[in-house]
Amino acid sequence: MAEYTKTIHAFRESLNSITESRPKVGVILGSGLSKIADSLSGETIDYSKIPEMPKPTVEGHRGFLKISRDFALLAGRFHYYEGHPIHDVVKPVLLLQALGVEQLLVTNAAGGINPDFSPGQIVLIRDHINLMGTNPLIGPDNGELGPRFPDMSDAYSRALRKRIIDTLDYPLTEGVYAGLSGPSYETPAEIRMLKQLGADMVGMSTVPEVIIANYLGIRTIGFSCITNMAAGILDQPLSHQEVIGTAARVENRFRSIVESVMELLTSE
Ligand code: HPA
């Protein structure tokens, strides 16, 4: 898409004056998971130093890029529910494309639909269902960045998933992620519907970024942190505090998984 070509060029220009690192692995961290960045070494660049990045809508959630020779990690997403145009939601992936990233790891917080899941569990995303009501590739396309009708049949690389499952010293389950716009959580009836549709977990992010990554030919992998059981599964209300609380509780385990996968991706 011409608009994305322009954005990628602009990112490239900005990055040229900011950093010399050109890593091959990109990471996008989800809600409540940014602390994972603290233990990694690298240069930290606030989003505000990168003019093409959208402005955060929540005060105090500034967002930053942490970059080293091996990886570029983005802490701070732009959610569709914040009112960002869908073309802005995917700018973190365009930034990674501008750096030349070839493999992407995305993480998110999600509500568990599959009754075998429990809060605190970390699930490898096998596939997604786009229920956001939009798609970041809507618009004129001149074919210079990717195909008009990108294949999504291996959106979460099967080969990389296999390597992760075979290599990691952690019992990983796979699941299908349903992406909705939010920001209201789902009703119990919506969760029953999503279950019938084949979803194992539900969230409000990731789908737009993964569509763009596939369009650009970036091999992608994703993890959901099950922060709560979805609406109606347990007889209790949902809250953002629960989401943040669970994410904080599993931070160390999540960090070690993310670090192992980053290492594995770097050696690909
Ligand atoms: N629903 C949607 N998004 C979420 C949830 C949920 O239950 N938990 C964390 N993100």
Side-chain angles (χ1 to χ4, degrees):
M1 307 224 315
E3 178 189 337
Y4 291 155
T5 309
K6 262 173 58 189
T7 307
I8 292 167
H9 281 304
F11 272 135
R12 244 176 230 145
E13 295 240 317
S14 302
L15 287 163
N16 280 342
S17 59
I18 294 175
T19 176
E20 286 180 359
S21 303
R22 292 294 176 269
K24 294 290 173 221
V25 175
V27 183
I28 297 178
L29 295 178
S31 301
L33 304 166
S34 334
K35 274 188 137 180
I36 289 179
D38 294 350
S39 58
L40 299 168
S41 56
E43 200 183 337
T44 302
I45 299 156
D46 202 283
Y47 283 175
S48 61
K49 300 280 186 300
I50 311 172
E52 294 74 25
M53 277 309 233
K55 304 282 164 278
T57 63
V58 189
E59 209 51 45
H61 283 243
R62 305 201 52 78
F64 59 88
L65 160 69
K66 192 149 193 182
I67 190 163
S68 70
R69 193 196 59 175
D70 292 331
F71 68 84
L73 180 144
L74 295 164
R77 287 204 148 91
F78 304 99
H79 296 93
Y80 191 46
Y81 63 72
E82 292 176 80
H84 292 292
I86 193 70
H87 292 175
D88 275 2
V89 171
V90 297
K91 279 197 173 164
V93 184
L94 302 180
L95 174 81
L96 295 174
Q97 171 78 358
L99 284 167
V101 158
E102 291 172 359
Q103 333 232 41
L104 171 65
L105 165 63
V106 292
T107 68
N108 61 43
I113 297 175
N114 186 325
D116 295 338
F117 291 177
S118 51
Q121 192 169 346
I122 292 156
V123 177
L124 190 54
I125 305 175
R126 177 157 52 86
D127 204 347
H128 76 216
I129 304 176
N130 179 11
L131 293 167
M132 291 212 154
T134 188
N135 187 303
L137 292 172
I138 292 175
D141 190 283
N142 53 14
E144 61 189 17
L145 286 177
R148 173 75 289 197
F149 305 106
D151 176 35
M152 291 292 290
S153 53
D154 194 29
Y156 299 81
S157 167
R158 183 177 294 115
L160 288 180
R161 280 187 283 122
K162 184 170 184 323
R163 278 212 55 197
I164 288 170
I165 289 169
D166 291 349
T167 311
L168 251 63
D169 192 16
Y170 179 81
L172 276 172
T173 314
E174 292 188 302
V176 173
Y177 176 90
L180 278 68
S181 75
S184 51
Y185 287 119
E186 303 71 34
T187 62
E190 286 165 346
I191 294 301
R192 286 194 297 276
M193 173 191 77
L194 294 174
K195 192 174 180 190
Q196 291 217 11
L197 293 179
D200 295 298
M201 55 234 180
V202 58
M204 307 175 192
S205 67
T206 304
V207 163
E209 290 105 315
V210 171
I211 291 173
I212 286 292
N214 275 269
Y215 167 71
L216 295 169
I218 299 173
R219 285 214 295 172
T220 302
I221 211 79
F223 283 100
S224 285
C225 171
I226 306 298
T227 51
N228 58 284
M229 292 315 284
I233 305 249
L234 304 175
D235 188 20
Q236 62 183 52
L238 270 59
S239 75
H240 187 56
Q241 278 66 36
E242 184 186 6
V243 170
I244 296 300
T246 308
R249 182 161 63 79
V250 299
E251 190 182 295
N252 282 337
R253 190 169 0 126
F254 209 42
R255 174 186 295 122
S256 84
I257 291 176
V258 167
E259 285 176 358
S260 308
V261 172
M262 282 165 70
E263 220 164 274
L264 188 146
L265 294 178
T266 308
S267 68
E268 270 287 306

